[in-house]
Amino acid sequence: MHPYNRLPGSGHSTPSPPQSPLRSPRYRRSKPGRFNASSAAAPTIPQRLAWLLLSVLLRRQGIFLFAPLIYISGMLLYMGTVSFDVGPIISHKAAPGSVYRSPQVYERLKPEMDADNSSADAISTIWRNSYKGGEWKPCIKNSSGDLPAESNGYIYVEANGGLNQQRTSICNAVAVAGYLNATLLIPNFHFHSIWRDPSKFNDIYDEEFFINTLIHDVRVVDKIPEYIMERFDHNLTNVYNFRVKAWSPIHYYKDVVLPRLLEEKVIRISPFANRLSFDAPPAVQRLRCLANYQALRFSSPILTLGEALVSRMRERSTNHGRKYVSVHLRFEEDMVAFSCCVFDGGEQEEKDMKAARERGWKGKFTKPGRTIRPGAIRLNGKCPLTPLEVGLMLRGMGFDKNTHIYLASGKIYNAEKYMAPLLEMFPNLLTKEMLATEEELAPYKNYSSRMAAIDYTVCLHSEVFVTTQGGNFPHFLMGHRRFLYGGHAKTIRPDKRKLALLLDNPKIGWKSFKRNMLNMRSHSDSKGFELKRPNDSIYSFPCPDCMCHMNKTNDSRSTSAT
């Protein structure tokens, strides 16, 4: 049936033949003085083809049955493969601070940095803050009396982790044993696939000194009597093992562990690191203080070598008042792999990190649904600082090229590449391998915890300690340094979020960078004195549980310290 047109005239509607297919207004000639689209621009080839296709469709109306299919196909072609340049191209730019660009920033800053002669002697002026006009001093009260005549039984713990995680286990075990009036068996160190150190307690610590220091507070023995072990076929793995939850309160041990201890006379707790809450009664905190700051002393060979290296560092830094800087650098392969950060090593780095993750944490990083976002990790300040970044930071903080630095570290990943700029900025950088002879280090080389104990000793006595990645090592050192140095940690803790942004700015100048670094240094100084809050670690914050303010009388000491 033909369509009808309503024409004025006779008043009747008469049929008329169908009009010829309409032509686009774009192709009509425009009358003078009238606006027409074609007057703005001549039709392009894609436009001509489009209108030609439309004309064919109008002539063959049956084709409209396939219109949805044609439309979808056209859209897919348009969005996927064909570009008519009709819209803006959106490119996703990396967020500031999410990409490792420190080498480029170093090349920009290096000329100005080397020409800067305005720096004062930072190592002698770095610590200016004091705590309310006074200092703190150690005050761990002696035992109030003799131990009860009879012990409630024996506690055996297996300390897991590296050197300082094991230290946490030892101190917590002392506190639990003393609280339960139990006898503590010298803790056993769990062999770990990462640290791979088979050392025993007496290889790292002075066992006799440990036992004698605690003699009035906790019974400590190196073996359980034979008549008890006969019940377990002389095998400690047959002893009942408590699976204690992390950060359990001390009353859990009294309510749950003690009844079983009284029944069995010996119990095992494995693993034991971080199995006791930091928020504990004063009596428990006192035992922790006693164990950590007095009873735990490194074995004589480690202590002798460590103190010799301290002396050698001081001899080399006579021009700076026998003061040196120690840096804990966590840029070993396993640390870089675990962080999931991306640096500038390209495909080889990616290959190395995948292999290291699979070797150390089988399947952990490849679980279905797990997404790793290196850029977000860097922005959040969770990437380990590279040697280059540490060097830039310290030069910005005013430490000149002649400063002596002790580097505490394991084997640096791709050391030949990453250590070069740090050595360029600080040629007087030394490690235990450079300070000690091969013969001196030979007994420790295959034992990561013993090597870490040597590093710990040299870092403990430095004027400045720099932490770059957190972990148990720097947290224990900060607390120990507070205990030794009047409550001040004398530690630089960089704001790595801010540092990521600064080292991603290609336009930053040396003066601006240096100003930011000096502010960061000042912030570390002001945060040197910090008091322990309820859920803080006593091993990082010994004030006020293990220390007293020098301006206060003995009667007004913190109840936690008595």
Side-chain angles (χ1 to χ4, degrees):
M1 183 173 180
H2 296 296
Y4 286 81
N5 282 350
R6 300 179 69 89
L7 299 175
S10 62
H12 300 282
S13 296
T14 58
S16 63
Q19 297 179 347
S20 60
L22 294 173
R23 299 181 69 184
S24 168
R26 290 177 183 268
Y27 291 135
R28 292 178 184 172
R29 287 184 182 179
S30 58
K31 294 183 179 180
R34 291 189 180 181
F35 174 80
N36 189 285
S38 63
S39 65
T44 63
I45 292 175
Q47 289 172 341
R48 290 177 182 277
L49 291 173
W51 286 113
L52 180 62
L53 178 62
L54 180 61
S55 299
V56 173
L57 290 176
L58 288 172
R59 289 193 182 97
R60 301 288 185 269
Q61 294 180 13
I63 294 178
F64 280 108
L65 294 173
F66 301 97
L69 181 61
I70 295 170
Y71 174 77
I72 293 170
S73 301
M75 289 299 294
L76 289 173
L77 282 170
Y78 176 74
M79 296 173 65
T81 59
V82 181
S83 174
F84 292 106
D85 295 325
V86 295
I89 298 173
I90 301 173
S91 60
H92 296 283
K93 196 174 182 180
S98 63
V99 179
Y100 177 68
R101 293 193 176 96
S102 300
Q104 293 91 320
V105 176
Y106 173 54
E107 289 303 317
R108 173 181 172 78
L109 296 180
K110 188 175 183 298
E112 289 184 80
M113 180 180 69
D114 289 342
D116 184 5
N117 297 318
S118 62
S119 298
D121 185 7
I123 204 164
S124 62
T125 61
I126 183 169
W127 311 124
R128 296 180 178 179
N129 282 277
S130 61
Y131 184 78
K132 295 179 181 179
E135 291 186 344
W136 293 76
K137 65 177 181 180
C139 65
I140 303 170
K141 190 177 179 182
N142 294 330
S143 176
S144 57
D146 294 329
L147 289 168
E150 188 175 346
S151 167
N152 287 329
Y154 294 85
I155 293 178
Y156 168 66
V157 302
E158 292 184 0
N160 56 305
L163 175 71
N164 291 286
Q165 193 169 349
Q166 291 171 346
R167 191 177 184 117
T168 304
S169 299
I170 297 165
C171 298
N172 288 348
V174 168
V176 168
Y179 186 75
L180 299 182
N181 183 34
T183 301
L184 178 65
L185 181 66
I186 288 290
N188 180 55
F189 292 162
H190 177 68
F191 183 82
H192 196 279
S193 59
I194 296 294
W195 290 277
R196 305 187 65 82
D197 189 336
S199 296
K200 304 300 180 186
F201 186 95
N202 61 2
D203 292 320
I204 299 174
Y205 297 105
D206 188 330
E207 187 173 307
E208 184 179 355
F209 182 83
F210 180 74
I211 294 172
N212 290 335
T213 303
L214 297 171
I215 197 166
H216 297 296
D217 296 272
V218 182
R219 296 179 180 88
V220 183
V221 297
D222 59 1
K223 64 179 181 178
I224 297 174
E226 291 293 323
Y227 73 92
I228 293 179
M229 289 306 300
E230 285 177 0
R231 293 168 42 211
F232 305 100
D233 294 328
H234 301 279
N235 188 347
L236 282 167
T237 59
N238 294 331
V239 174
Y240 178 78
N241 183 36
F242 269 96
R243 290 285 180 177
V244 180
K245 291 182 180 180
W247 317 115
S248 292
I250 192 66
H251 66 74
Y252 170 86
Y253 290 90
K254 182 179 180 181
D255 298 340
V256 179
V257 177
L258 181 58
R260 190 64 179 256
L261 176 65
L262 292 170
E263 180 184 344
E264 297 284 338
K265 289 303 178 186
V266 57
I267 59 166
R268 179 165 64 104
I269 307 176
S270 175
F272 190 68
N274 302 324
R275 291 305 189 270
L276 179 61
S277 169
F278 285 133
D279 189 10
V284 174
Q285 302 292 56
R286 188 186 74 83
L287 289 173
R288 280 170 151 167
C289 294
L290 182 64
N292 187 49
Y293 297 114
Q294 291 188 7
L296 278 179
R297 186 173 74 181
F298 289 129
S299 63
S300 183
I302 291 175
L303 198 60
T304 300
L305 180 56
E307 290 177 346
L309 300 191
V310 170
S311 179
R312 292 169 197 176
M313 282 301 300
R314 287 174 173 166
E315 287 172 6
R316 283 165 170 76
S317 56
T318 50
N319 291 338
H320 288 92
R322 295 173 58 85
K323 297 176 180 178
Y324 61 93
V325 176
S326 62
V327 177
H328 182 228
L329 183 61
R330 291 306 315 273
F331 204 71
E332 305 93 338
E333 185 177 70
D334 65 291
M335 185 67 245
V336 177
F338 187 80
S339 72
C340 295
C341 296
V342 174
F343 296 92
D344 60 343
E347 291 183 3
Q348 186 59 48
E349 177 190 312
E350 184 180 0
K351 181 180 177 182
D352 292 342
M353 295 305 105
K354 283 182 178 178
R357 289 184 197 116
E358 190 58 28
R359 188 167 57 247
W361 304 273
K362 294 186 183 298
K364 178 174 181 176
F365 295 93
T366 55
K367 289 180 180 178
R370 176 157 189 172
T371 302
I372 298 173
R373 298 189 296 162
I377 297 170
R378 182 172 297 281
L379 274 172
N380 202 28
K382 300 297 183 182
C383 287
L385 294 183
T386 62
L388 181 150
E389 291 171 326
V390 171
L392 272 176
M393 179 184 74
L394 291 177
R395 288 295 293 270
M397 288 180 175
F399 296 97
D400 62 34
K401 196 171 185 177
N402 298 317
T403 303
H404 282 76
I405 293 180
Y406 179 81
L407 191 70
S409 173
K411 184 180 179 182
I412 299 296
Y413 171 65
N414 201 354
E416 186 175 350
K417 171 187 175 180
Y418 285 109
M419 284 298 295
L422 178 59
L423 289 167
E424 191 175 47
M425 286 182 272
F426 291 99
N428 291 327
L429 182 141
L430 298 159
T431 64
K432 54 185 172 293
E433 289 81 5
M434 298 164 73
L435 283 169
T437 65
E438 288 188 15
E439 292 76 15
E440 287 175 319
L441 277 182
Y444 313 101
K445 276 204 168 179
N446 295 321
Y447 302 95
S448 61
S449 291
R450 300 185 210 181
M451 294 285 268
I454 295 169
D455 280 338
Y456 187 100
T457 303
V458 185
C459 290
L460 183 63
H461 297 289
S462 63
E463 178 65 19
V464 181
F465 172 61
V466 182
T467 173
T468 64
Q469 186 57 18
N472 289 301
F473 187 95
H475 285 303
F476 263 89
L477 264 169
M478 282 192 289
H480 207 152
R481 288 167 66 84
R482 284 188 170 107
F483 191 79
L484 291 182
Y485 303 131
H488 197 297
K490 294 190 175 184
T491 298
I492 291 175
R493 289 181 286 174
D495 182 344
K496 294 203 291 179
R497 292 180 182 177
K498 185 174 183 179
L499 205 55
L501 291 171
L502 290 171
L503 293 174
D504 189 34
N505 181 3
K507 297 181 180 179
I508 193 168
W510 174 246
K511 289 182 179 178
S512 175
F513 180 78
K514 184 177 179 179
R515 183 173 62 253
N516 278 280
M517 292 301 99
L518 289 173
N519 289 338
M520 201 176 289
R521 188 187 95 174
S522 179
H523 182 74
S524 289
D525 185 15
S526 65
K527 286 289 187 179
F529 288 100
E530 287 188 280
L531 302 185
K532 180 186 179 299
R533 294 164 295 186
N535 292 320
D536 284 337
S537 165
I538 199 169
Y539 310 119
S540 298
F541 304 97
C543 307
D545 296 83
C546 313
M547 304 184 75
C548 305
H549 198 273
M550 289 180 67
N551 292 350
K552 295 183 179 180
T553 62
N554 291 342
D555 294 335
S556 62
R557 289 176 179 177
S558 168
T559 54
S560 296
T562 55

